Amino acid sequence: MKLVTDPNDNSNHSQIKSFLQVISDDFLMLTRLHAKEPDADFLELLVEYEFPSTMALNLVSEEGKKANQFMQRVIEMMPEQFDDEYLDTLAADFADIYLNHSLQASPLESVWIDEEKLTCQESMFQVRAWYESYGLKAENWRIRPDDDLVLQLQFISHLFSISESIKELEDIARFMDEHLLRWLGQFTSRVVHRSATPYYAGIALLTGAYCEELRDLIATITNLPRPSAEEIEERMKSNSVSQEVTMSYMPGIGPAV
């Protein structure tokens, strides 16, 4: 399938823009799920809206269906009242994954890509260059480095929100290929097998499946096949970025205009 836009067809343009916006909204939800531990109000919203069935992209792959079903069961099995003990358990699991790295499931791309498994390596500068090309900067790279999962998800949401045509999906696909999808599968697997709660295992599964299926959908829509992992690695060898670590403040949990 290949979508072709007619510049004189306003209804077609409206449909495309609507599609791009709802995918942007999906990524904002994924961002929120990874950005901080949930409070009772947020969990109540997930239950009320029967998350993840309210996600705009209906996952149809085998992995996508499994991830959806798993997360649905997590939501369905939540207690009627979210007491302090339940919230503290989720907060502790969040800290183990995203803050103290006791699960060795780092949300930073550099740790997975760098040969020495160090933070703030070349991947961070490459991602930073992407942000800067769109006039964006991380709020505080010392607290949340540019290559953090949360910032990458938020950046993709931003790209969808400002896109006007199918052609612009090519840039989104390139960012996903060169960065997020090079390591997200490893992060997902580590969280699924080591997290203490089904809640964060479900979030990891859903995020991984969603991003993979969306990337396949982009390939179908644009009629441009996904490059292999080997092709991506070869491409990245020539994309070396060297930069001073200087960033200015920008409000929000991640990249913003």
Side-chain angles (χ1 to χ4, degrees), residues 178-249:
E178 294 180 359
H179 294 288
L180 182 63
L181 294 180
R182 291 176 73 200
W183 63 279
L184 182 60
Q186 298 174 77
F187 169 82
T188 296
S189 178
R190 188 70 58 86
V191 172
V192 168
H193 288 97
R194 298 186 181 183
S195 59
T197 63
Y199 177 81
Y200 279 107
I203 290 171
L205 274 176
L206 182 65
T207 303
Y210 185 101
C211 292
E212 285 290 345
E213 191 156 331
L214 175 67
R215 181 61 186 90
D216 286 338
L217 179 61
I218 292 175
T220 301
I221 291 174
T222 61
N223 204 30
L224 296 172
R226 291 181 64 172
S228 67
E230 292 75 20
E231 289 171 328
I232 292 296
E233 293 307 314
E234 197 61 35
R235 180 196 303 176
M236 296 308 292
K237 288 179 182 178
S238 61
N239 284 0
S240 179
V241 174
S242 179
Q243 235 177 295
E244 293 294 327
V245 183
T246 56
M247 296 293 284
S248 59
Y249 172 78

Side-chain angles (χ1 to χ4, degrees), residues 11 40 45 54 60 75 97 100 102 112 115-118 136 167 176 232:
S11 63
L45 283 175
T54 46
V60 296
I75 301 299
I97 299 167
N100 57 43
S102 63
W112 300 99
E115 290 184 2
E116 298 183 12
K117 308 302 181 186
L118 301 175
L136 309 177
K167 177 69 175 175
M176 294 180 74
I232 292 296

